[in-house]
């Protein structure tokens, strides 16, 4: 077996260019301190040899990483993809890179990734915890790496957070359905350990009370996950109800799209026979067979604001840092899935 090629070092570049290691370092990090002729010579050698500087070595010298981490619940959900885009834009503007990881709503995977972040001594972590108790984060806190909760409101001792008012969001969805004349509703929920699912239910029940309807006017159809497959299963269960509701609120758009698929396959008309409201307003919501009414979350803004808080906390003057809890407001986007043609 052939031996692996040795990585080109900064000493190799210095020797080939006929300059000192310090000069090569200045060309890379402080080019203004080196003459133009020397810069050109060193950069030509760097290109010829294929030298790539060691970020790990640079981090050891500087004592600060240029990498932050983002750990989300489900990268298959476009909502989290948009959060990642917002975080990346803000990070790149600050000269940082982002390591994006997916816990898949699994506590074990989340713990492993947090351990990896600690080993790599990342600049900080943006995280949507896989459970409402934040058990893994309590262990992670001892490493002294700052983190910001994303799509979750931080408790008194949990640091910074950026979230959306999901109680208001749930109320917007059900208020829209009751204002359209629906009196028999269903809530297609997700895993109950997720705060978002519980808060959206709370808002929905608040809107029912506003409309003078009892809690029993909204039956809950639980879903094991917040994805399209779980939505299709929930749709099949809705179709099997003896008294089918006329309006359905889903805890996210992926569930709503799965419900829509089940209804379409069964020949149930949306919205004439059954109106649907989703949550998140992902790109696919507007492109569905029947464009989906949805509660919009400002995902790009969530990612960007969370990154700004993390950079502020990880700055050198972090001793003066004060934790912030940013709560953004959702908005209802009405489309054909709740508008009965006249």
């Amino acid at each position: 077996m052939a031996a692996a090629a040795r990585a080109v070092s900064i000493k190799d570049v210095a020797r080939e260019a006929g300059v000192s290691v310090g000069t090569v370092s200045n060309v890379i990090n402080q080019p203004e301190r080196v003459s133009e002729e020397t810069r050109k010579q060193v950069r030509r050698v760097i290109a010829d040899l294929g030298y790539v500087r060691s970020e790990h070595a640079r981090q050891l010298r500087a004592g600060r990483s240029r990498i932050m981490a983002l750990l989300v619940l489900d990268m298959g959900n476009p909502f989290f993809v948009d959060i990642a885009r917002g975080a990346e834009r803000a990070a790149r503007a600050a000269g940082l890179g982002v390591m994006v990881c997916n816990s898949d709503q699994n506590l074990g995977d989340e713990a492993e990734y947090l351990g990896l972040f600690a080993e790599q001594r990342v600049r900080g972590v943006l995280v949507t915890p896989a459970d409402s108790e934040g058990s893994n984060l309590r262990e992670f806190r001892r490493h002294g790496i700052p983190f910001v909760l994303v799509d979750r409101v931080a408790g008194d001792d949990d640091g910074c957070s950026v979230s959306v008012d999901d109680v208001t969001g749930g109320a917007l969805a059900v208020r829209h359905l009751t204002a359209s004349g629906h009196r028999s509703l269903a809530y297609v929920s997700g895993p109950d350990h997720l705060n978002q699912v519980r808060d959206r239910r709370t808002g929905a029940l608040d809107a029912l009370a506003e409309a003078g309807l009892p809690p029993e006017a909204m039956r809950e159809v639980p879903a094991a996950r917040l994805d399209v497959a779980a939505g299709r299963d929930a749709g099949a269960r809705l179709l099997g109800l003896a008294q089918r509701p006329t309006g359905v609120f889903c805890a996210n758009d992926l569930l709503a799209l799965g419900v829509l698929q089940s209804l379409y396959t069964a020949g149930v008309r949306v919205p004439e026979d059954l109106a649907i409201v989703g949550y998140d307003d992902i790109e696919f919501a507007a492109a569905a067979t029947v464009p989906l009414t949805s509660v919009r979350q400002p995902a790009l803004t969530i990612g960007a604001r969370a990154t700004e808080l993390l950079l502020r906390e990880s700055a050198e003057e972090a001793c003066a840092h004060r934790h912030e809890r940013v709560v953004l407001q959702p908005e209802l986007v009405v489309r054909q899935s709740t508008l009965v043609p006249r």
Side-chain angles (χ1 to χ4, degrees):
M1 181 182 295
R6 182 178 67 86
V8 176
S9 71
I10 193 171
K11 292 181 180 179
D12 296 327
V13 175
R15 183 170 54 252
E16 184 69 20
V19 298
S20 69
V21 170
T23 298
V24 177
S25 178
N26 282 336
V27 169
I28 295 170
N29 299 301
Q30 297 175 300
E32 70 280 358
R33 301 183 62 178
V34 184
S35 70
E36 182 178 357
E37 181 179 351
T38 301
R39 287 201 305 269
K40 289 181 178 178
Q41 177 186 356
V42 171
R43 286 169 177 165
R44 183 166 54 248
V45 172
I46 287 174
D48 290 344
L49 297 182
Y51 168 75
V52 178
R53 71 175 179 177
S54 169
E55 173 60 24
H56 179 65
R58 189 213 64 79
Q59 181 179 332
L60 287 176
R61 290 192 301 271
R64 294 171 68 79
S65 173
R66 293 177 57 246
I67 301 296
M68 54 177 273
L70 169 63
L71 182 57
V72 300
L73 292 177
D74 181 10
M75 280 305 293
N77 186 338
F79 168 68
F80 288 112
V81 174
D82 284 342
I83 285 179
R85 287 172 55 206
E88 183 186 29
R89 289 176 186 174
R92 284 173 63 88
L96 303 181
V98 182
M99 180 195 310
V100 181
C101 300
N102 175 33
S103 72
D104 202 29
Q105 304 177 41
N106 184 288
L107 282 172
D109 289 350
E110 178 182 82
E112 287 186 16
Y113 276 125
L114 290 173
L116 173 64
F117 301 156
E119 290 174 9
Q120 297 297 318
R121 300 303 299 176
V122 296
R123 179 74 163 266
V125 178
L126 306 181
V127 56
T128 304
D131 75 316
S132 59
E133 301 300 322
S135 54
N136 287 326
L137 286 173
R138 284 195 294 273
E139 173 68 15
F140 181 72
R141 185 179 282 109
R142 68 187 178 90
H143 297 292
I145 298 174
F147 62 85
V148 174
L149 300 185
V150 177
D151 197 32
R152 183 73 54 81
V153 179
D156 292 340
D157 300 321
D158 291 335
C160 292
S161 65
V162 179
S163 62
V164 171
D165 186 346
D166 283 318
V167 174
T168 293
L172 286 173
V174 170
R175 194 176 293 135
H176 172 64
L177 290 171
T178 58
S180 300
H182 297 281
R183 294 294 179 266
S184 177
L185 306 179
Y187 175 48
V188 177
S189 61
D192 207 52
H193 63 266
L194 296 177
N195 286 346
Q196 298 93 322
V197 170
R198 299 200 302 268
D199 287 348
R200 291 166 197 178
R201 179 195 300 116
T202 297
L205 291 171
D206 289 346
L208 279 182
E210 288 176 13
L213 297 172
E216 296 76 24
M218 185 180 74
R219 286 168 286 181
E220 183 162 350
V221 180
R225 294 179 60 84
L226 294 168
D227 56 25
V228 174
R232 284 195 296 265
D233 175 69
R237 282 180 282 143
L238 277 171
L239 291 170
L241 292 175
Q243 293 184 320
R244 190 181 299 168
T246 64
V248 177
F249 168 42
C250 299
N252 78 352
D253 283 343
L254 296 183
L255 287 172
L257 291 172
V259 170
L260 181 61
Q261 287 180 9
S262 288
L263 300 182
Y264 181 81
T265 301
V268 175
R269 298 173 303 165
V270 175
E272 292 88 347
D273 299 326
L274 202 155
I276 304 176
V277 180
Y279 204 105
D280 291 338
D281 195 34
I282 62 176
E283 184 177 356
F284 299 136
T289 304
V290 179
L292 189 66
T293 292
S294 184
V295 178
R296 175 178 293 165
Q297 298 202 80
L300 290 172
T301 301
I302 292 172
R305 291 292 299 275
T307 299
E308 291 167 6
L309 292 181
L310 187 64
L311 293 175
R312 197 177 306 160
E313 185 169 357
S314 63
E316 292 181 353
E317 62 273 14
C319 57
H321 179 75
R322 294 292 180 270
H323 292 316
E324 293 184 47
R325 294 166 184 80
V326 177
V327 180
L328 305 173
Q329 291 302 309
E331 61 177 305
L332 182 72
V333 180
V334 178
R335 299 192 181 95
Q336 280 78 3
S337 70
T338 57
L339 293 176
V340 178
R342 297 189 182 279

